[in-house]
């Protein structure tokens, strides 16, 4: 989508302190090492995504960064602060997405916001926040009466009430329908446009690809990759795929012989051709035409972050 390129270019790592610095972070639960020597930096002003399947260690990592969990070893700095030692200072400068379980269900939206505002030395007027989040008419509604998407927007408002420099979202869009999820992405992009750093976790690869400036891919407590979604996808060896349908038996010898074609797979009527090069698509189409093959629904498929995960870990994200 390309938004945010301006922010990332303005942020100069030489001048700006990193928003988050994690060095060899380790967190164990008994015999299980949930976070295993994880190191990364988050730049000021970016949307940084920690992505990976359930159980990868994302929540444990974000909780160590927020200061809610004490690491077993390694170092964490958030805007230069130590989340354990400087927790009161940090609490003023970060926004955290709370879970609905943390609030009484009968509390009204305006009561929750006033309550949260009272926790901080500085807080913004939350009424404009409610307008921006399309919640103005829900100001007096009890939390329990709101839809899933509305509740999530209340939690965004609560996370912004102290005008934080960095905001943390753990699986912000879980449980939302695709439309609410997309509007949540816009809200998160808006938060970055206001100059804040956003640190989020997600197990939705598409969300990470659309929303994040950079992603760290986590699996079994370890980082397996860290870069912009575009660079991660570009790093894949398997360049492009052409997919089409055939009726009945199809001899793929001519396709396999084409320069640039690396693989041809057939599943039922569906044929997938993998390859690389600028003329890949036209040479596949040309070969089918000249061979007199009856094909339909010919289209190209771009690799995505799911493919990156598959290549790096040898397994599918969702199973
Ligand atoms: N409080 C806990 N006690 C014991 N094990 C835990 C606890 N919290 C998480 N785990 C385990 O640690 C691993 C990482 O969990 P988590 O950080 O929640 O991953 P994610 O957020 O990526 O799903 C999982 O195997 C999970 O079962
Ligand atoms: Mg989690």
């Amino acid at each position: 989508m390309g938004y945010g390129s301006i922010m990332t270019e303005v942020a100069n790592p030489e001048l700006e302190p990193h928003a988050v610095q994690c060095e060899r972070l380790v967190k164990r639960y008994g015999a299980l090492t949930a976070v295993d020597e994880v190191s990364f930096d988050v730049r000021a002003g970016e949307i940084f995504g920690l992505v990976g399947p359930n159980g990868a260690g994302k929540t444990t990592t974000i909780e160590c960064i927020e200061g809610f969990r004490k690491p077993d070893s390694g170092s964490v700095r958030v805007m230069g602060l130590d989340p354990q030692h400087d927790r009161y200072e940090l609490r003023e400068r970060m926004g955290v997405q709370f879970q609905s379980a943390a609030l009484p269900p009968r509390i009204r939206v305006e009561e929750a916001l006033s309550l949260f505002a009272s926790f901080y030395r500085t807080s913004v007027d939350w009424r404009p926040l409610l307008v921006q989040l399309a919640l103005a008419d829900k100001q007096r509604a009890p939390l329990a009466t709101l839809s899933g998407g509305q509740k999530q927007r209340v939690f965004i408002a609560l996370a912004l009430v102290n005008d934080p420099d960095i905001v943390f979202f753990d699986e912000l869009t879980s449980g939302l329908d695709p439309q609410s999820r997309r509007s949540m992405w816009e809200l998160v992009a808006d938060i970055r446009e206001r100059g804040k750093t956003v640190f989020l976790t997600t197990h939705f690869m598409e969300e990470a690809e659309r929303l994040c400036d950079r992603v760290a891919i986590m699996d079994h407590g370890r980082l397996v990759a860290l870069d912009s979604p575009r660079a991660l996808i570009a790093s894949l060896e398997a360049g492009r795929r052409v997919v089409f349908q055939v009726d009945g038996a199809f001899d793929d010898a001519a396709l396999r012989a084409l320069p640039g074609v690396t693989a041809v797979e057939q599943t039922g009527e569906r044929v997938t051709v993998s390859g690389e090069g600028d003329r890949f698509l036209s040479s596949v189409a040309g070969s089918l035409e000249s061979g007199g093959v009856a094909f339909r629904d010919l289209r190209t498929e771009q690799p995505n972050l799911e493919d990156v995960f598959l290549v790096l870990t040898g397994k599918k994200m969702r199973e």
Side-chain angles (χ1 to χ4, degrees):
M1 247 177 219
Y3 39 53
S5 54
I6 295 172
M7 288 306 296
T8 40
E9 275 158 29
V10 169
N12 180 348
E14 305 279 314
L15 304 174
E16 299 256 349
H18 280 116
V20 175
Q21 291 169 289
C22 250
E23 251 185 74
R24 306 184 70 170
L25 176 65
V26 175
K27 180 67 190 177
R28 294 187 198 89
Y29 300 114
L32 173 79
T33 306
V35 180
D36 192 1
E37 303 249 338
V38 163
S39 303
F40 59 86
D41 293 333
V42 177
R43 297 169 188 157
E46 74 178 343
I47 300 178
F48 184 93
L50 190 56
V51 307
N54 287 329
K58 305 180 298 294
T59 296
T60 304
T61 303
I62 200 172
E63 288 179 350
C64 287
I65 295 169
E66 293 164 332
F68 300 143
R69 282 193 192 278
K70 194 174 189 298
D72 290 308
S73 64
S75 116
V76 179
R77 290 290 178 276
V78 184
M79 294 167 302
L81 300 171
D82 176 338
Q84 290 297 318
H85 185 265
D86 309 316
R87 71 178 69 167
Y88 296 104
E89 179 62 27
L90 183 57
R91 187 181 292 176
E92 294 290 326
R93 296 182 56 193
M94 72 177 187
V96 172
Q97 166 210 358
F98 280 78
Q99 306 297 321
S100 49
L103 286 169
R106 284 177 197 283
I107 195 167
R108 294 176 195 277
V109 170
E110 59 184 2
E111 291 166 345
L113 283 154
S114 300
L115 178 69
F116 272 62
S118 74
F119 295 158
Y120 299 105
R121 286 200 294 267
T122 49
S123 59
V124 293
D125 179 2
W126 45 260
R127 286 165 195 84
L129 269 182
L130 286 189
V131 174
Q132 275 158 17
L133 295 168
L135 288 167
D137 58 333
K138 297 293 174 192
Q139 188 174 328
R140 299 188 53 74
L143 208 55
T145 64
L146 302 184
S147 72
Q150 289 166 339
K151 264 186 216 155
Q152 287 299 59
R153 296 206 297 279
V154 171
F155 292 118
I156 292 184
L158 293 174
L160 295 175
V161 83
N162 59 328
D163 195 21
D165 298 318
I166 183 167
V167 191
F168 294 98
F169 295 125
D170 191 6
E171 303 278 1
L172 182 66
T173 66
S174 277
L176 298 184
D177 58 71
Q179 195 190 334
S180 311
R181 178 170 301 149
R182 272 159 208 280
S183 57
M184 213 59 75
W185 296 349
E186 283 174 29
L187 292 173
V188 173
D190 285 347
I191 295 171
R192 188 226 356 239
E193 297 314 313
R194 291 194 232 168
K196 301 181 191 308
T197 306
V198 179
F199 186 108
L200 61 84
T201 75
T202 181
H203 67 281
F204 296 112
M205 282 295 192
E206 189 199 354
E207 174 164 292
E209 192 174 323
R210 298 286 195 91
L211 185 57
C212 296
D213 297 305
R214 292 193 308 146
V215 298
I217 300 181
M218 192 169 196
D219 190 36
H220 294 303
R222 289 176 173 268
L223 291 197
V224 294
L226 196 171
D227 212 326
S228 66
R230 185 184 299 229
L232 288 172
I233 291 164
S235 73
L236 286 184
E237 294 285 310
R240 300 156 194 226
R241 282 192 300 257
V242 173
V243 183
F244 58 90
Q245 310 277 328
V246 287
D247 298 316
F250 166 66
D251 181 5
D252 60 18
L255 282 184
R256 288 183 187 278
L258 288 177
V261 169
T262 52
V264 183
E265 280 172 65
Q266 282 190 59
T267 339
E269 296 191 338
R270 184 186 150 103
V271 181
T272 306
V273 190
S274 307
E276 50 218 24
D278 291 337
R279 298 192 43 77
F280 171 59
L281 171 62
S282 54
S283 65
V284 169
S287 163
L288 295 175
E289 293 284 359
S290 63
V293 179
F295 64 95
R296 54 199 155 76
D297 300 337
L298 180 96
R299 61 197 161 80
T300 57
E301 274 185 1
Q302 295 295 331
N304 55 28
L305 270 190
E306 304 256 357
D307 298 310
V308 174
F309 186 82
L310 179 66
V311 167
L312 290 172
T313 67
K315 62 187 183 199
K316 293 208 166 168
M317 261 296 285
R318 274 175 256 183
E319 260 171 359

